[in-house]
Structures are given as structure tokens and as C-alpha cells.
Amino acid sequence: MLHIVNMSIKNKLTLVIMTSTLLGVVLISSIFVYQRYVSFKTQMSSEFTTIAKIISDRSNAAVIFEDQNSLSETLASLSLHDQVKLACIYNLDNMLLANYTRDSRKYVCPTQPGKNGQAFSRSHFHVGEPILVGGETHGKVYIRACTKQLDKEIRASIISSATLSTIVILGALLFARYVQRFISDPLIELQGIARKVTIEHDFSPRADKKHDDEIGELVDAFNTMLETIAQQNIVIAEHTENLEKKVEARTAELEMANRELEAFSYSVSHDLKAPLRKIDGFSRALEEDYAHRLDEDAQQYLARLRSNSQKMSQLITSLLHLSRVTRKEIDKKPFNLSELAENIMHSLAESEPQRATRFSVQPDLHAEGDHKLVEILLDNLIGNAWKYSRDQAETIIEVGCIKGGANPVYYVHDNGCGFDMEYVDRLFKPFSRLHSSDQFEGTGIGLATAGRIVNRHQGKIWAESEPGKGTTFYFTLSEEKNAEIVTHEI
Amino acid sequence: MPSLLHPVFRRPLLAALLTLCAANQSFAKTEYDIKAAYLYNFIKFVSWPGEIKSLPLRVCLYGQDPINEKLMPLKDIRIHDREVEVKLVEDIADAPSCAVLYIAREQKKQLAEIVTVIDRSPVLMISDIPDFAKSGGTIGFVTLGNVIRFDVNLIKARASGISISSKLLELANQVVR
């Protein structure tokens, strides 16, 4: 069955047509031959029964008067009929009165006549008829005819129906060959084109529609599909090309702008530092050399001048940091993060020895990254913590790590004033501050720099805070997707 | 050929009667039995003009003859769906009303007179008088050696309106036409 299922449509069609034709032809031929057989048999039976009846009628007087010569003459007339091989007439005592035989060696009258009626044996037809006179039985006629003629007729009808069947089957085969072309040829063509499209990605060939049937519609649909695909391909190609060009142009523009901006900010910062240094230098000289000549107000102004110029210097340093962070190549190496944090905390504690502090750094935090940049990062984060917790009775700063997956999440926690999470978006943007300069001094560049350092490590930085309850900054130093999920374990 | 095995003897009733009647005439039994059976069978192949089924078919016997006894049993059977009546005729003038008239051999001399009386009446005249058929009778028995045959006078039969089956004619020894 699988064999048939996997056949080509061409062969399937031929098979279907041939099978139905064969079945039909065989059925009709069988019926025809059978009917011929039955009809010949009936005909033969009726013919020889009639002959037996005629003989019976013709010989009834002769039987009564036992005129054997007359009976023999009557039977002799049967020689005119080829098929009659044997005929016998018996009296009531089943005694043979007369007989006719075509071949006395082959055909001999039975000593006892059979029953009345007709019967077919293997090669003969037998008929027995009573001899009646005025309704009374006086004897019996028995006739045996050979069925050679019947066999011949049946053979002839088998041969003729077989010949006719063969002609019909050949005709059906030719018809099937002719008809299947209308179905399979377009399909084979479609298949060829589909294969060409698949292998060569060439959408230009079109199938040829030959007829207005379902296959014709299929061909149309196929062609339309190819047309649509080809057009869409052109559109997609154009789009891709445009997009690439646009991206290239934009990238170039952006790179240019970025370079210009960096160069500008670097040169501005750098160039601004020289005059500032001079302002500071001369202010200090003025303070040191001419302090005794200046009144108190002037000294106050001078102090302010110096403080502001220092603030400006810090601002410029920060800007330089920021631009350096942007331009510098990342040089990833393993380093001890705990040591770095402790150093920073130590110098901070030294700067304000009067502050009550409680620092805790998780020991042996071995991280991998650009040592110098991470130092700036920690400097900023711990500096912030130091700055915003100065109003607390005791400053608490913690540095540690949450071991989560392959990528550790580091954190810097303080018990400072905190901030409203509503403004968390502005946290890492340059020059944007959540506290006024009157409350806490600052440039607004520190966290932007921190954000950029983390970014350049493909890491992430985020914060959690609540006003009055302290702030925690988290960061990672390499790419990790589920870093945020892990923080909730704290 | 004709023998005791003749089909007519197979009819149990008739055979019994015939046997009973011919008890002590062993030679004549065979000949007269056969002739009686022949007569009975002749009737089957003969038809009379204007036959009426309700009337009996009258078989008349004229003159003394051994066959008379053999024919007596016929009165108990039906032929052509008619009852058979066997009657001895004293006066030949009664004969024209018979269907069959068997004339005894002893009436040979009165034959011409009988034929004249019967004339064209539909009477089947049967006898074993020699040359009976040629002398104006209808069917005459002839003995050829030890075989009993019969002659038919078709002219006479036609003249009296009696029709005889061709089958019977075929079996006849001689047919006068």
C-alpha cells in the first residue's frame, strides 16, 4: 500500500483508470459469457427436448403396434442432426425396440432408460420423453446429444469477449496516457519551478497555464505567489540597502560629533585649568604676601575667591575624568577590590578625624576590570556615601558583594540622608543633582562618571534608597542579565 | 414380434380379463388376443365425424368369432374420453349406428350385403376375412407368416367420413387408395 501511496501522480492516475476499466471489463465479460452459456444451454435443452417430443409423437403408433422397422426409420432421420449421437426407443417393459447410434462402438443404448426429463453430463445432454397415446404412456424415447457445439460456442464467446476486453483495455491505457498529461504535466512543471526557486533563489521563472481547471488556478496562484515574493524581495533589498547607508551615515556623524565633543570638552577642561591655576596662584600669593595690608572684608573676599577657584578646579577635574573615562581603552585585569575600598575609606577618615565612623569592607573581594577606572568608580560611590552621611551621629559605610551566579554584584551602602526613588532616573545624568549645593556641595558629574565606567565594563549600576534611611548602590563589572533579580535577596 | 409382452397386456384389468377368457384355448389365445389388442389400438388412431363425448362408443360384433370373448372387457374402459359399449348385433340393419363393427370370418358370404347396408355410414368395419379391405371393408387383418398385420381401405374410410391417422397408415401392410 505504501508503494502505491508514494507513486507519482502520473502512475496513480493510470493505475486508477486501468483498475476500474479492468474490473468493469472483467465483470461485463463474465456476465456476457455466463449469459451466453445459460442461453446456449437453454437453447440446446429446448431443441433436443423438442426433437425427443417429435420422435415420441411420430412413433407412438409404431410403439403400440411394435413396428420396429418403422421406429428404426423414424430414428434414422436423426442422422441429419450432427449433435445427436444416440437415440433409443423402449416399450413399457423397458425393452429396447429401436435405436440409432452415430458410432456403435462409442454409443450404446443403456439397458434401462433413465428417468424422464433433461440433464447435462460432462460432455453430453440427455433427454428422456414418454411416448403417449391418448394420455397413456406406451414407451419412452431417450436421446443423447454431444455438447461439443455448446463448448465451441462458449469458447468462441470467451475469445470474442477477451478480444474485445483487450481492445477496451488498450483503449483505456491510451486514454489514461492522454488524460493524465493534463494533470501531471503542469504539476511536474510546477515542481520543477518550485525546485529551481528553492535551490537557485531565482524568482523569475513562471509556470505555463494550459487549461482553466483547478490545476490552472493552482498555476495562477503559484505565479502570483512568485511575483509577490519577487516584489517583496526587491522592496526588502532596497530597504536593507537604505538602512545600511543610513546607519553608516548616522554612525559616521555620531562618531564625528562624539570626537568633536570629547576633543572640545578635553581642550576646554585642559585649557581652563591653566588660567584657573594662575588665578589660584595669584590669589594665594596675595593672601600670603599682602594679608597684613588687606582689611577683613578683603580677606574674606579673597578666601571666597580661592574657595571658588578650587571648586572650579574640582569641576574641571571631574569633567576631565568623565571625558577620560569615555575615551580610555578598558584594560581588564584581576585586582583586589577590598583593598581599593579600604584605601579610599582610610583617606576619607583621615580628612575628617573628628567624625564617628564605622566602616566595614568585605575582605578579599577579587574583581576583574580596569583598576584605575574602578578606583574612580569606588571613589565616587564611597565619596558620595561619606558626603551624604555626614549629618548622622555615626557614619556607617559598608562595601560588599552578593555572590550571585558567575557575575558578582558589588554594593556600597551608607546610612546617609537617602533620596526619593521617584527621581532615580536622574541619578546618573551629568549635572543633574537631587540635593541643592547649599545642602551638599557637588559637581553633579560623579555619578555620571560612575555610570559610564560601569557601562564601559558592560556592567550595570542601580540604586535603592529611601529618604532618611540610607542608600545602596549596586554595580556589576561584566555582562549579566539576571543581576537585578539577585539583589532582592538582600 | 407381437407377443404376450405386447403393451396392451400391461393394462392389468384388460390383461386379467383376456387371460381369464382364453383359459383353455392356448393357440387361439395368442392370435385373438393380439387381434383384440389391435382393434382396441385402432380406435385410438381413428376419429369419427361428429363424435359426441356423452354418447358411448359402440363396438358391435356380428357373427360368432373367438375374438368376441376377447373384446368383451372393452366395455369397462374409456377411449377418446367416451365409454365403450360392446354389443352383439343380430340384425345387420342395426349396424349403421355402430362406431366399430367386427365381422366374424363366418359372415364371409354376407360381406357384400353388409357393405351395402353400411354404405356411407361412419362405421369402422374390421374383419380377418381375407382381402377384406379390398372387398369394401375398412381395416382387414392379414397374417404374413407368423406376423399379424393389417390392410386399410382409405377410399372406404373417406367415403364413410372416418379419418385414420397417418401413423396408422404408415404401419399398414397395404393401403387401398
Side-chain angles (χ1 to χ4, degrees):
Chain A
M1 211 56 204
L2 197 72
H3 181 63
I4 294 172
V5 168
N6 291 335
M7 263 185 184
S8 70
I9 285 183
K10 207 170 167 174
N11 290 343
K12 266 184 205 155
L13 280 171
T14 310
L15 185 75
V16 164
I17 293 174
M18 291 317 290
T19 309
S20 40
T21 310
L22 199 69
L23 281 176
V25 159
V26 166
L27 191 72
I28 289 169
S29 300
S30 311
I31 292 171
F32 170 73
V33 169
Y34 180 72
Q35 276 189 339
R36 294 280 286 173
Y37 173 70
V38 169
S39 136
F40 281 136
K41 250 178 129 168
T42 315
Q43 197 186 322
M44 190 173 180
S45 169
S46 121
E47 183 183 342
F48 288 99
T49 307
T50 306
I51 287 174
K53 278 185 174 151
I54 289 169
I55 296 291
S56 151
D57 186 60
R58 288 256 299 139
S59 54
N60 57 359
V63 166
I64 285 175
F65 294 104
E66 298 215 331
D67 190 331
Q68 291 181 319
N69 290 337
S70 172
L71 290 173
S72 294
E73 271 171 37
T74 305
L75 290 184
S77 64
L78 287 173
S79 68
L80 295 171
H81 203 309
D82 278 349
Q83 283 168 262
V84 177
K85 298 299 177 191
L86 182 70
C88 316
I89 292 178
Y90 299 87
N91 65 12
L92 261 187
D93 298 311
N94 295 336
M95 202 179 83
L96 186 66
L97 293 182
N99 71 81
Y100 162 79
T101 171
R102 200 164 284 275
D103 183 344
S104 57
R105 281 166 303 177
K106 270 174 82 179
Y107 303 105
V108 179
C109 280
T111 47
Q112 290 281 315
K115 286 178 185 167
N116 293 336
Q118 302 91 35
F120 277 93
S121 68
R122 234 172 65 81
S123 56
H124 291 92
F125 173 69
H126 309 262
V127 57
E129 271 293 318
I131 295 172
L132 301 170
V133 181
E136 281 172 30
T137 305
H138 286 273
K140 185 179 268 183
V141 176
Y142 166 75
I143 289 177
R144 188 189 295 175
C146 82
T147 54
K148 220 175 256 172
Q149 191 60 33
L150 174 75
D151 296 343
K152 217 186 276 176
E153 297 271 14
I154 295 304
R155 212 172 299 134
S157 65
I158 288 172
I159 289 168
S160 63
S161 63
T163 313
L164 202 68
S165 300
T166 313
I167 291 168
V168 168
I169 286 165
L170 284 177
L173 188 67
L174 288 176
F175 180 69
R177 289 262 161 223
Y178 178 68
V179 161
Q180 53 95 359
R181 210 181 295 156
F182 297 120
I183 296 167
S184 62
D185 280 7
L187 286 180
I188 289 166
E189 196 190 330
L190 272 187
Q191 190 193 19
I193 291 170
R195 188 173 291 158
K196 202 174 172 190
V197 166
T198 314
I199 295 168
E200 295 174 14
H201 299 289
D202 177 7
F203 296 94
S204 59
R206 294 286 176 270
D208 187 14
K209 184 184 176 181
K210 292 190 179 78
H211 309 284
D212 275 329
D213 54 1
E214 287 92 333
I215 290 173
E217 279 173 31
L218 180 67
V219 167
D220 276 347
F222 184 76
N223 285 342
T224 312
M225 191 181 77
L226 283 183
E227 187 76 37
T228 311
I229 291 173
Q231 280 176 1
Q232 282 178 350
N233 271 1
I234 292 167
V235 171
I236 290 169
E238 276 173 4
H239 275 224
T240 313
E241 210 175 312
N242 280 354
L243 209 62
E244 274 172 8
K245 277 182 187 162
K246 272 184 192 167
V247 167
E248 259 171 44
R250 290 281 156 79
T251 312
E253 274 172 32
L254 276 175
E255 276 174 356
M256 179 79 88
N258 231 12
R259 266 198 305 276
E260 277 172 6
L261 200 65
E262 277 166 18
F264 174 74
S265 58
Y266 184 77
S267 61
V268 162
S269 320
H270 201 261
D271 294 355
L272 281 176
K273 260 200 148 177
L276 194 63
R277 210 176 294 124
K278 280 181 182 165
I279 292 170
D280 190 47
F282 282 111
S283 306
R284 202 169 61 202
L286 206 59
E287 209 175 30
E288 284 172 2
D289 299 347
Y290 299 93
H292 56 280
R293 284 200 245 167
L294 296 172
D295 61 16
E296 213 159 292
D297 275 353
Q299 281 189 17
Q300 187 87 39
Y301 292 154
L302 201 59
R304 283 229 190 138
L305 183 71
R306 279 206 68 196
S307 137
N308 273 302
S309 69
Q310 269 162 18
K311 202 182 272 178
M312 191 171 172
S313 171
Q314 264 177 26
L315 195 62
I316 289 167
T317 308
S318 297
L319 275 173
L320 270 173
H321 268 157
L322 186 63
S323 67
R324 198 179 300 145
V325 160
T326 315
R327 284 181 302 149
K328 196 180 175 277
E329 285 294 316
I330 297 282
D331 180 21
K332 274 196 172 185
K333 274 178 188 160
F335 65 91
N336 193 330
L337 194 137
S338 306
E339 238 170 57
L340 264 185
E342 270 167 10
N343 286 343
I344 292 163
M345 286 176 174
H346 191 67
S347 57
L348 283 171
E350 270 188 347
S351 68
E352 282 182 70
Q354 74 282 2
R355 260 169 82 168
T357 53
R358 181 141 57 90
F359 292 152
S360 80
V361 175
Q362 194 176 323
D364 297 327
L365 291 175
H366 296 285
E368 200 181 299
D370 191 302
H371 179 267
K372 282 184 181 162
L373 290 183
V374 176
E375 191 176 3
I376 297 169
L377 168 69
L378 285 176
D379 211 15
N380 275 313
L381 293 179
I382 296 169
N384 263 2
W386 178 256
K387 183 161 71 186
Y388 291 106
S389 56
R390 67 171 182 213
D391 296 338
Q392 308 302 320
E394 187 187 29
T395 299
I396 301 170
I397 299 175
E398 276 174 45
V399 175
C401 168
I402 308 160
K403 272 285 171 192
N407 199 18
V409 177
Y410 304 101
Y411 66 92
V412 176
H413 173 75
D414 65 63
N415 63 337
C417 63
F419 60 88
D420 193 339
M421 283 298 276
E422 201 182 321
Y423 308 111
V424 77
D425 289 346
R426 286 160 56 188
L427 216 51
F428 300 101
K429 284 183 180 160
F431 307 113
S432 64
R433 302 200 58 209
L434 302 186
H435 302 274
S436 68
S437 298
D438 297 342
Q439 275 183 291
F440 297 99
E441 76 286 357
T443 56
I445 293 173
L447 281 180
T449 308
R452 200 160 289 181
I453 290 168
V454 171
N455 267 345
R456 294 217 57 197
H457 281 84
Q458 270 94 40
K460 271 191 156 188
I461 184 162
W462 67 99
E464 277 174 11
S465 182
E466 207 179 309
K469 287 196 173 174
T471 306
T472 310
F473 279 95
Y474 301 94
F475 66 91
T476 62
L477 290 176
S478 59
E479 210 169 357
E480 172 76 75
K481 280 164 196 165
N482 56 356
E484 244 172 309
I485 301 161
V486 177
T487 61
H488 297 294
E489 289 173 13
I490 301 170
Chain B
M1 283 198 307
S3 68
L4 276 174
L5 293 171
H6 193 279
V8 94
F9 295 105
R10 295 300 117 209
R11 299 185 57 83
L13 178 75
L14 195 58
L17 286 166
L18 289 172
T19 317
L20 188 75
C21 301
N24 48 9
Q25 272 191 309
S26 58
F27 168 69
K29 182 181 79 176
T30 312
E31 186 192 344
Y32 293 106
D33 282 342
I34 291 167
K35 282 179 179 168
Y38 268 37
L39 188 141
Y40 163 70
N41 285 320
F42 287 155
I43 298 169
K44 289 180 179 172
F45 293 95
V46 170
S47 57
W48 285 266
E51 269 188 277
I52 299 164
K53 294 218 153 67
S54 56
L55 293 176
L57 191 141
R58 188 176 289 168
V59 176
C60 301
L61 308 171
Y62 187 62
Q64 288 299 309
D65 196 282
I67 202 170
N68 289 5
E69 283 177 60
K70 309 286 183 192
L71 289 174
M72 278 315 194
L74 284 179
K75 65 176 190 249
D76 292 317
I77 57 170
R78 293 173 76 89
I79 308 175
H80 293 312
D81 210 17
R82 292 171 77 182
E83 275 179 31
V84 176
E85 188 184 280
V86 183
K87 194 183 167 192
L88 291 166
V89 181
E90 301 295 336
D91 185 357
I92 195 65
D94 296 338
S97 66
C98 299
V100 178
L101 176 67
Y102 189 85
I103 301 158
R105 196 185 284 233
E106 59 170 37
Q107 300 296 337
K108 191 180 172 182
K109 284 169 188 165
Q110 279 76 45
L111 185 59
E113 187 200 334
I114 295 166
V115 167
T116 312
V117 171
I118 299 300
D119 193 26
R120 289 171 179 249
S121 302
V123 178
L124 179 71
M125 292 184 285
I126 305 171
S127 179
D128 56 359
I129 296 167
D131 291 334
F132 179 67
K134 284 172 190 165
S135 318
T138 323
I139 297 175
F141 287 114
V142 287
T143 306
L144 302 173
N146 60 347
V147 179
I148 295 167
R149 301 291 299 273
F150 56 89
D151 291 341
V152 177
N153 186 338
L154 200 57
I155 297 166
K156 176 69 189 169
R158 280 180 182 158
S160 52
I162 292 168
S163 67
I164 298 171
S165 164
S166 62
K167 290 175 191 167
L168 197 62
L169 296 178
E170 270 175 37
L171 301 174
N173 176 48
Q174 260 191 316
V175 178
V176 180
R177 309 172 186 259

